[in-house]
Amino acid sequence: MTRILLRISYDGSGFKGYQKQPNARSVQGEVERALAKIHKAPSWPSTSSGRTDAGVHGRRQPVHFDTPLAIPESRWARALNSLLPEDIYVHDAEIVADNFHARYDAVGKEYLYKFTAGAEHDIFARHFRYQLRQVPDQQLMQQAADYMLGTHNFASLSSPKTDVVDKVRTMYAIDVWKEEKEWTLRFIGSGFLYQMVRVMTGTLLDCGFGERNPEDIPALIAAEDRTKASKTAPGHGLYLSQVFYEKALLEQHLTETAGRRKNK
Amino acid sequence: MTRILLRISYDGSGFKGYQKQPNARSVQGEVERALAKIHKAPSWPSTSSGRTDAGVHGRRQPVHFDTPLAIPESRWARALNSLLPEDIYVHDAEIVADNFHARYDAVGKEYLYKFTAGAEHDIFARHFRYQLRQVPDQQLMQQAADYMLGTHNFASLSSPKTDVVDKVRTMYAIDVWKEEKEWTLRFIGSGFLYQMVRVMTGTLLDCGFGERNPEDIPALIAAEDRTKASKTAPGHGLYLSQVFYEKALLEQHLTETAGRRKNK
């Protein structure tokens, strides 16, 4: 068997989430249906770097699977794309070590949360940006974000609906920027809990709207209580944008993106 | 009866076109269904500035209708948006003269055609940009576009599938520009024939790819023969972006956009 690592993008708006589930369209379900066809098997398992919720988008998300087929590396993407629906796209495929694991080997991830503020409703963005009428204060949001950096138990800032016991994660960078009415929040961390980026985003927005003080974030985190944080921001503004398997590449990315943090 | 002018945007990807048709989802069908509900009538007629094809998008497209209801101007948009599907949005409504006509009174229109060239396939753009692998030559495209300016019979550069007899139109401006891999063609003209922007775009692209000479455009137009032009570019890159009812506003727009033409 050969282990293949795919990088796939998907428009989350047509899926009930990444994970396979009965009677609902999922990214994993579509990917495995295409793999099963290629393998002429009733089903074919795959392993993703993680799951995303309904409406959440993926950019070059890593997914691995094992195959007995001798298909050259360079042919997998085209073979899969010819079988996949138009809202999933395989960028490339790469042969990896048999013990490589798309989820366990990740050393860091980056998510982007995109929203517009104070702009007229844009139907072309309805699946791709959270659209807010009110304009938050960028500096207050960045102050609050800075309090979330470092290693903490993130129980307050993630959904309690999980079997994950260890909720300690490290946030390396959280950057807030805007270009006219288009805002982006970038989260780079060791890993993320269920709905963590969306709860962080909701909480940062409340700080930006003056409904919370950035100075209260440390106590909020220390409480380890989801009810202390703000409401979960909607899924359609969220993009899994990078998964790192090498500490050096993660460090390099942090260095490359540091310019924005210095200039803020 | 009061005549109301709406400005509506729609994501064309979910429609078989603007015009109402049996057994197919259309923008007009959805708008008139919402108007019928408000009027508690089985149907309610409306008149658009024009029709768009399947997949083509509309931005602030003017649509008028008559109503006996005394709903204030400012309430129409919200009332309609509450009844319309998420891929149509009413920006605003305005009371106009009883003899105003959304189609006949238009003195000019602007269309944008958006494409990417040489970029990796982007699933998020699949309904909103034509995605080309090959990169055209911008200068050749602009040269060809300049030959299309002025008043001509545009039979060569539009679909023969039409009842329209007078095919003389005036092109005021055609601009080609790019920002990295994102290209835009802007067409400003007195009016446009069926599929005219898409045939012009296909022909301009062939010039950009070196498959046609810009110098051959005058003869192509003079032939008044659709078979002389290139293939119709796909609908999903096309946006109706402005309709002008006053010559002064059209002139102002041409002046405001002239900067790009001067700098090219």
Side-chain angles (χ1 to χ4, degrees), chain B residues 34-144:
Chain B
L35 286 171
K37 269 193 195 155
I38 290 178
H39 289 92
K40 298 185 172 50
S43 69
W44 203 263
S46 69
T47 303
S48 164
S49 62
R51 301 160 187 173
T52 51
D53 275 344
V56 177
H57 311 290
R59 278 192 173 146
R60 302 186 65 86
Q61 180 171 321
V63 176
H64 83 247
F65 66 94
D66 293 324
T67 183
L69 300 177
I71 297 177
E73 219 175 27
S74 62
R75 298 265 179 87
W76 276 104
R78 196 190 299 182
L80 284 164
N81 284 328
S82 72
L83 296 168
L84 284 167
E86 62 159 19
D87 47 2
I88 304 179
Y89 180 74
V90 178
H91 293 270
D92 45 53
E94 172 189 2
I95 296 172
V96 288
D98 289 352
N99 63 350
F100 172 87
H101 196 284
R103 185 160 74 251
Y104 301 144
D105 289 357
V107 296
K109 285 183 187 173
E110 179 189 82
Y111 281 90
L112 301 177
Y113 196 96
K114 293 176 177 283
F115 65 96
T116 57
E120 194 176 22
H121 177 69
D122 177 0
I123 50 155
F124 300 104
R126 71 193 186 284
H127 294 140
F128 306 115
R129 306 278 184 278
Y130 182 25
Q131 301 192 49
L132 292 157
R133 282 169 187 249
Q134 210 182 338
V135 180
D137 182 295
Q138 185 181 350
Q139 216 178 331
L140 287 174
M141 288 185 77
Q142 187 65 62
Q143 275 171 29

Side-chain angles (χ1 to χ4, degrees), chain B residues 162-204:
Chain B
T162 176
D163 298 329
V164 174
V165 177
D166 177 9
K167 297 194 173 183
V168 174
R169 297 291 184 276
T170 302
M171 286 304 106
Y172 301 116
I174 306 175
D175 302 316
V176 182
W177 73 88
K178 60 175 173 175
E179 281 156 18
E180 306 202 0
K181 290 170 179 176
E182 295 268 342
W183 293 61
T184 305
L185 305 180
R186 176 173 50 206
F187 301 84
I188 307 175
S190 61
F192 292 84
L193 299 162
Y194 184 49
Q195 295 192 336
M196 180 165 155
V197 180
R198 293 166 57 193
V199 179
M200 290 170 103
T201 297
T203 306
L204 293 176

Side-chain angles (χ1 to χ4, degrees), chain A residues 9-13 57-60 86-89 91-92 120-121 123-124 126-128 133 239, chain B residues 9-13 57-60 86-89 91-92 120-121 123-124 126-128 133 239:
Chain A
S9 287
Y10 50 89
D11 172 351
S13 53
H57 311 291
R59 278 192 174 147
R60 301 186 66 87
E86 62 158 19
D87 48 0
I88 305 179
Y89 181 75
H91 293 270
D92 45 53
E120 195 177 19
H121 177 70
I123 50 156
F124 300 104
R126 71 192 186 284
H127 295 139
F128 306 115
R133 283 168 185 248
Y239 297 74
Chain B
S9 287
Y10 50 89
D11 172 351
S13 54
H57 311 290
R59 278 192 173 146
R60 302 186 65 86
E86 62 159 19
D87 47 2
I88 304 179
Y89 180 74
H91 293 270
D92 45 53
E120 194 176 22
H121 177 69
I123 50 155
F124 300 104
R126 71 193 186 284
H127 294 140
F128 306 115
R133 282 169 187 249
Y239 297 74

Side-chain angles (χ1 to χ4, degrees), chain A residues 145-152 154 169-174 190:
Chain A
D146 291 348
Y147 280 115
M148 295 177 181
L149 295 179
T151 303
H152 310 284
F154 280 95
R169 299 289 183 276
T170 301
M171 286 305 105
Y172 300 117
I174 306 175
S190 62

